[in-house]
Amino acid sequence: MAAAAACGTSADPAADLAVHPDTRPAGAPFAHPGVLVGKAQLTAARDHVARKEEPWLSAYQKMSGSKYAALDYKAKPYATVECPPDTRPGQGCVEEREDAIAAYTQALLWNITGKKAHADKAVQIMDAWSGTVKRHTEGNAGLQTAWAATSWAKAAELMQYTYDGWADGDELKFQRMLRDVYLPEVQSGSADFNGNWDLLMADATMSMAVYLNDQAAFDKAVGHFRTRVPAYFYLSSDGPLPVKPAGSDIDTPAKLQTYWFGQKTFKDGLAQETCRNFKHASYSLAATSHIAETAWHQGLDLYGEVKDRLAAALEFHSKYQLGAAAPEWLCGGKVQRDMGPDTEVGLSHLRGRLKMKLPETEKLTREQRPEGTDDLFVAWETLTHAQSA
C-alpha cells in the first residue's frame, strides 16, 4: 500500500485508471495540492522517510543537505532578470532559478518534517520576489521564465494548500506576479525554437494554471503538449519523417533534417535534440512527464495519449546513457551522454501505474538515485515519485 501511495494511486490500479477520462470535465474544480505532487505522494514520502526506507531516505538526506535547505538561505530578487542567449553576462538568471528551487525545497521540507521554520523560509523567499520582479529580458527570457515558473508554482501550491501561515495579501501578490510577469512570457509557447523550449513553457503554463485555478491557461498547456510531444519524440507510426512542429515553417524533409541536427534515420524513441546532446532531450523527457503528471492529478490522462512514445524515448536515451555504443546511423556514431535527473516521474507512471516494462530506464534510474536537482527546474523527484523497484 505504501508503494501505491508513493505514486499517487489507489490499491487497485484498474480502479485508479478508470477515474481519469480523456478530457477534463468542464467546470470541474482543480485538485490541490496537484502541481506535479499530490497529497498522497506527500504523505507517502513523509511515511517512507519516517520509516527510513530507501530510496526515499537517501533522497531526503540529499535534499536536506543541499544549500537550498538551509534555514539561513537568503533570496536575491531582481526587478529585471536579463538572460542573454550568448556569452554576455546575465543578471539574476542563476539567482532566480536557485531561489525558486529553494522555495520548493523548503516547502517540501515543511511537508516532510512539519518544522514551521521551513514553511516560513519558503514564504519569505517567494515574498521577496513577488515584491520585486517586474520583467524578463534578452533572448533567453522565455526559457528562463519557464524554468523559474515551474519551481515557483510547485512551491506556492504546497504552501497555499498545506500551510495556513502565508498572509492572504502576500499570497495574492505572488499570484499577481505569476499572472503578470511569468504567464504571459510562456503560455504562447515557442514554435520555431528547439522543442525543449515549447515543452518547458507548457510545463510552466500548466503548473501555474493549476495553482491559479486558470482553466484557459490549463487548456493552452494541454494544446501545446498534444502538438509538441509528437513533434519531438519520434515513433515509426509517424511515417518516414518526424511530425512537423505546429505553427512553424519547418515543413520539408531538408528543414526537418536540419532541425533534427542532421539526423537522416528515424527510429522509435529518437528525440529532436538527441544529436545535439542528451541533456536537452532529457529536459524534454522531464517536462513531458511533469505535464502529464500534473494533468493526471487534475483528472486528465495525457499519459494515455503518449505512453508508447514516452516509453520509447525513455528506453532509447537510457540505453545509450548507460553506455551502449551508438551505431553509425545515430548522430554519426557519436552521442553526448549527459542526461539529468529526469526519469523518476515518467517511470513512476509507466512502470508503477501501468506496469509497462522499461528495463533500461529502471536500470539507469536505480544507478542515478537519489535523483537530486539540475539547478534549473527539476528537483527531488526520487523523494516524491520513486518506486521501490
Side-chain angles (χ1 to χ4, degrees):
M1 291 185 66
C7 63
T9 65
S10 67
D12 181 355
D16 189 66
L17 290 168
V19 303
H20 290 80
D22 291 336
T23 58
R24 187 172 182 271
F30 286 96
H32 300 291
V35 177
L36 186 64
V37 183
K39 184 177 180 180
Q41 289 165 323
L42 287 171
T43 300
R46 183 166 56 247
D47 291 346
H48 286 309
V49 171
R51 294 194 292 263
K52 302 187 185 307
E53 295 172 344
E54 294 292 355
W56 302 277
L57 179 61
S58 293
Y60 167 75
Q61 290 171 337
K62 185 169 186 174
M63 179 179 73
S64 60
S66 73
K67 64 183 179 182
Y68 301 114
L71 286 173
D72 61 355
Y73 187 97
K74 295 191 186 320
K76 298 176 181 177
Y78 284 75
T80 299
V81 179
E82 299 176 4
C83 302
D86 46 42
T87 58
R88 286 174 293 147
Q91 174 181 280
C93 310
V94 173
E95 292 87 349
E96 181 184 39
R97 296 193 302 265
E98 291 190 343
D99 284 359
I101 290 172
Y104 179 54
T105 301
Q106 298 284 347
L108 281 175
L109 283 163
W110 151 246
N111 276 275
I112 298 297
T113 69
K115 293 181 179 178
K116 184 175 179 293
H118 289 300
D120 291 340
K121 179 57 67 173
V123 167
Q124 182 186 92
I125 296 168
M126 290 189 287
D127 288 349
W129 277 86
S130 66
T132 304
V133 68
K134 302 299 181 186
R135 65 189 64 83
H136 295 81
T137 64
E138 291 287 352
N140 273 354
L143 185 60
Q144 170 72 20
T145 307
W147 277 334
T150 56
S151 298
W152 286 137
K154 287 183 292 186
E157 176 81 353
L158 290 184
M159 298 318 299
Q160 182 157 339
Y161 294 101
T162 70
Y163 180 60
D164 61 6
W166 195 5
D168 290 347
D170 291 334
E171 285 182 15
L172 289 172
K173 185 186 290 186
F174 193 83
Q175 291 167 10
R176 284 196 298 272
M177 178 193 81
L178 293 184
R179 285 194 182 281
D180 296 344
V181 181
Y182 290 81
L183 195 54
E185 192 71 46
V186 300
Q187 65 180 342
S188 295
S190 185
D192 292 313
F193 281 62
N194 287 307
N196 79 90
W197 279 58
D198 221 15
L199 288 167
L200 285 159
M201 288 177 166
D203 183 5
T205 299
M206 179 170 283
S207 298
M208 288 187 284
V210 171
Y211 169 62
L212 296 170
N213 295 294
D214 187 330
Q215 182 65 50
F218 183 90
D219 291 343
K220 267 190 169 289
V222 171
H224 280 293
F225 178 93
R226 286 175 166 158
T227 55
R228 178 58 79 166
V229 174
Y232 192 88
F233 300 112
Y234 177 81
L235 277 184
S236 55
S237 56
D238 298 333
L241 293 172
V243 176
K244 80 160 207 165
S248 77
D249 65 354
I250 305 167
D251 54 4
T252 68
K255 287 180 179 179
L256 282 166
Q257 181 182 334
T258 299
Y259 188 57
W260 285 63
F261 291 86
Q263 185 65 19
K264 297 179 181 179
T265 302
F266 301 96
K267 296 193 177 183
D268 287 357
L270 186 76
Q272 181 250 317
E273 294 177 279
T274 299
C275 293
R276 179 185 185 186
N277 53 51
F278 280 19
K279 175 173 64 177
H280 285 85
S282 194
Y283 292 163
S284 298
L285 287 169
T288 299
S289 300
H290 289 178
I291 297 163
E293 183 74 4
T294 297
W296 177 266
H297 289 309
Q298 303 308 319
L300 176 61
D301 185 12
L302 293 181
Y303 278 122
E305 301 176 19
V306 300
K307 63 181 186 298
D308 294 334
R309 197 178 295 272
L310 179 58
L314 282 165
E315 286 292 276
F316 183 96
H317 292 89
S318 295
K319 172 184 175 181
Y320 293 110
Q321 180 70 24
L322 286 165
E328 186 62 29
W329 66 263
L330 176 60
C331 314
K334 296 179 181 179
V335 293
Q336 188 169 318
R337 298 175 172 87
D338 50 4
M339 288 179 71
D342 301 322
T343 58
E344 289 281 17
V345 175
L347 182 64
S348 174
H349 184 84
L350 299 176
R351 181 72 184 94
R353 294 185 184 124
L354 301 186
K355 309 305 177 188
M356 295 174 69
K357 295 187 183 304
L358 286 85
E360 302 287 352
T361 310
E362 284 192 74
K363 182 179 179 182
L364 176 63
T365 303
R366 285 195 297 269
E367 288 188 5
Q368 292 189 153
R369 281 177 176 164
E371 292 192 353
T373 178
D374 60 3
D375 301 313
L376 298 173
F377 75 109
V378 175
W380 323 123
E381 292 175 1
T382 295
L383 177 64
T384 56
H385 288 80
Q387 296 293 306
S388 57

